[in-house]
Amino acid sequence: DTRDFVASCQFINAPLHPPEAKVLENDGSDPFYRANLRLFFARYLTERKMYDEALEIFADIDPSQVIDPAGCLFFKAVCEHQLLKKTEGLATIKQLLSSTEDVPVSYNSVATLMQYELQNLRENSLDEVARLMRDVGRRLDLARGGPKVQKEEDEIVEALDKIIEKLEQQQGGGGGNGPGKGNQPSSPANDSGIKG
């Protein structure tokens, strides 16, 4: 069963939906075996950009039960970073960087960058909007349209409206010849010409 399940987790000609994971069910088998097989599957889902599904699997993994705790925490942090789960992502990265032995240099470097990005992520910023738009694109690539995507699209429009409103306020209310409108003439020129 394990061999068949591992073989079904393929990247070349991978089906749109991940394989059935009945082998991961809590059937009384060895916890070490289950934890490591779950890690294998969660990492596979992460690499296929199925972050929501991967996080569901990571939720059932105790990092102390797997042969690669650093990998477990790193890939979990990747999912949380991509889904803009700021609080959870920072907690996972902290655990990876400060409470885990033998963290590979590549994991350490990328985790530090993810930590910086999450710490500096601001609500209703262009950065957040760009990330939400990227996530909507990812979900649509995976044929995951539906209420979740519609909700994210509404959040994007709402955030863009707030950004535009804020910019208009900074430019003097967005009307008339207020600050920021100095390049607009009060009356038309008699002859056309290049403005000085």
Side-chain angles (χ1 to χ4, degrees):
D1 290 343
T2 302
R3 183 179 60 244
D4 292 344
F5 174 67
V6 170
S8 69
C9 295
Q10 56 189 347
F11 289 99
I12 299 172
N13 299 322
L16 196 56
H17 296 284
E20 288 291 322
K22 292 180 181 176
V23 72
L24 301 181
E25 292 173 4
N26 195 350
D27 58 359
S29 56
D30 181 54
F32 179 77
Y33 158 81
R34 276 198 320 275
N36 282 282
L37 198 56
R38 282 182 178 139
L39 175 56
F40 165 80
F41 190 49
R43 184 172 173 166
Y44 166 78
L45 293 172
T46 304
E47 290 175 357
R48 286 199 52 197
K49 299 183 179 181
M50 297 177 171
Y51 305 122
D52 298 284
E53 296 89 337
L55 278 179
E56 287 179 21
I57 305 294
F58 278 119
D60 293 329
I61 300 173
D62 177 0
S64 67
Q65 287 285 320
V66 296
I67 58 171
D68 183 15
C72 178
L73 292 169
F74 176 77
F75 282 96
K76 181 181 180 185
V78 167
C79 295
E80 292 164 341
H81 173 264
Q82 291 296 317
L83 295 175
L84 302 182
K85 294 182 177 289
K86 184 175 181 176
T87 306
E88 299 90 333
L90 288 172
T92 302
I93 292 169
K94 182 180 178 184
Q95 186 179 1
L96 172 66
L97 297 178
S98 61
S99 304
T100 310
E101 294 179 358
D102 301 323
V103 178
V105 175
S106 57
Y107 287 3
N108 195 308
S109 300
V110 175
T112 302
L113 289 172
M114 290 192 298
Q115 183 180 46
Y116 176 80
E117 286 185 358
L118 286 175
Q119 286 171 339
N120 291 289
L121 185 65
R122 300 289 172 255
E123 196 173 333
N124 293 323
S125 65
L126 280 176
D127 182 37
E128 184 189 49
V129 170
R131 288 168 178 272
L132 284 170
M133 291 172 80
R134 191 167 55 226
D135 190 54
V136 166
R138 175 190 68 84
R139 290 177 189 278
L140 293 175
D141 286 344
L142 293 169
R144 301 287 198 274
K148 176 84 175 172
V149 169
Q150 291 171 359
K151 181 175 178 285
E152 282 195 358
E153 288 173 338
D154 291 342
E155 288 172 6
I156 290 167
V157 171
E158 187 179 324
L160 285 172
D161 285 342
K162 287 180 182 177
I163 291 169
I164 291 168
E165 185 181 324
K166 186 177 178 182
L167 288 172
E168 286 176 346
Q169 288 173 354
Q170 288 174 352
Q171 293 181 353
N177 284 327
K181 303 286 183 183
N183 210 20
Q184 294 181 357
S186 56
S187 61
N190 293 331
D191 298 309
S192 63
I194 298 173
K195 189 172 178 179

